[in-house]
Amino acid sequence: MRFHSPQKLKTIADLIGSAFVGPEDFEVLGTNEIHMVKPGDIVFVNHPKYYDKALNSAATIILIDKEVDCPEGKALLVSDDPFRDFNKINTHFTRIYNFTEELHDVEIGEGTKIHSSAVIGNNVKIGKNTLIFPNVVIGDRTEIGDNVIIQSNTVLGGDAFYYRKLNGNFDRLISVGNVIIENNVEIGNGCTIDRGVTDSTIIGEGSVLDNQIQIGHDTVIGKKCLIASQVGIAGCCIIGDEVTLWGQVGIASGNKIESGSVLLGKTGVNRDLEKGTYIGMFAEDFKTYLKKEVKLRNLK
């Protein structure tokens, strides 16, 4: 999430009541989740196991629960609860409506048809010649391009599935990102595409999604991808262009699939994949799998 205008380190520290390490006027441009950070972003970390990852990331402001040596060119915000204060910063700069107020600051392009039963949040942009079927839900800040088809009961911009355990309960990291659907995308019935925690979940131009697909927060789907029914993609994945995912493929969070890959039905992904065709619980190369099957069947 980028702020509407640059902030100063002391301003953010005062907002959350934290100590800070660095010049008072150190520039802060926004916040982001660890997988998506850019220079100028705040990233939070609240466990020593991840200190190095956060401190050495592209983020230049680290919201941390202990004062540590600060890398050159960076700054620290020292908080007793970085998770809580990350939420506080995000919701200060991005108001959360959750359909409780119908402000309807919506832009709709020429030729677009929206069924009367569809529900549209605030600050939504919809392009030209787009078709939105009954009972579609479009969350706040969603951006939809031209010539898009969104079929019934699909939800764009639901909350990210991102929690911590606190005092025996689950505490949500509040989602202030959005969903971007590029031009010429088709989305089937009953799909759910979560908005980014602090960035955008993106469906690339020309991609086609079947029914009952789940796409997690901050995931980026490339151009002209084909995704079959019951695929589940966790958060912060990068799917290249012209990737085909057949039914019930499951992809764990933070993984990358190279452009042109094909994942056959029920393939499971727990690592980055180079271009190829894969099958099986742990995404085995398809030709290797076939050779193995031939050897097994020829055993006497």
Side-chain angles (χ1 to χ4, degrees), residues 3 122 163 224 261 268 278:
F3 302 142
N122 300 304
Y163 293 84
K224 297 182 180 178
S261 294
Y278 297 89

Side-chain angles (χ1 to χ4, degrees), residues 16 40 58 65 78 85 111 115 118 131 137 151 200 207 210-211 224 248 262 274 280 287 291 293 300:
I16 60 176
D65 59 352
V78 184
D85 287 339
H115 192 272
L131 183 59
V137 178
Q151 296 193 38
S200 297
S207 289
D210 194 3
N211 305 321
K224 297 182 180 178
Q248 297 186 348
V262 177
E274 297 179 351
K287 289 183 178 179
K291 290 177 182 178
E293 285 296 304
K300 294 183 179 180

Side-chain angles (χ1 to χ4, degrees), residues 123-182:
N123 302 314
V124 170
K125 297 179 181 179
I126 303 174
K128 297 179 291 186
N129 301 314
T130 284
L131 183 59
I132 297 176
F133 282 50
N135 300 318
V136 168
V137 178
I138 300 174
D140 294 350
R141 302 178 299 282
T142 298
E143 299 179 16
I144 299 171
D146 301 335
N147 306 308
V148 171
I149 297 173
I150 303 173
Q151 296 193 38
S152 297
N153 300 312
T154 282
V155 178
L156 306 180
D159 285 333
F161 188 73
Y162 197 132
Y163 293 84
R164 65 169 174 175
K165 199 73 172 290
L166 181 67
N167 299 324
N169 298 307
F170 292 108
D171 184 28
R172 179 191 295 276
L173 189 64
I174 298 171
S175 306
V176 295
N178 72 339
V179 171
I180 297 175
I181 308 296
E182 295 185 349

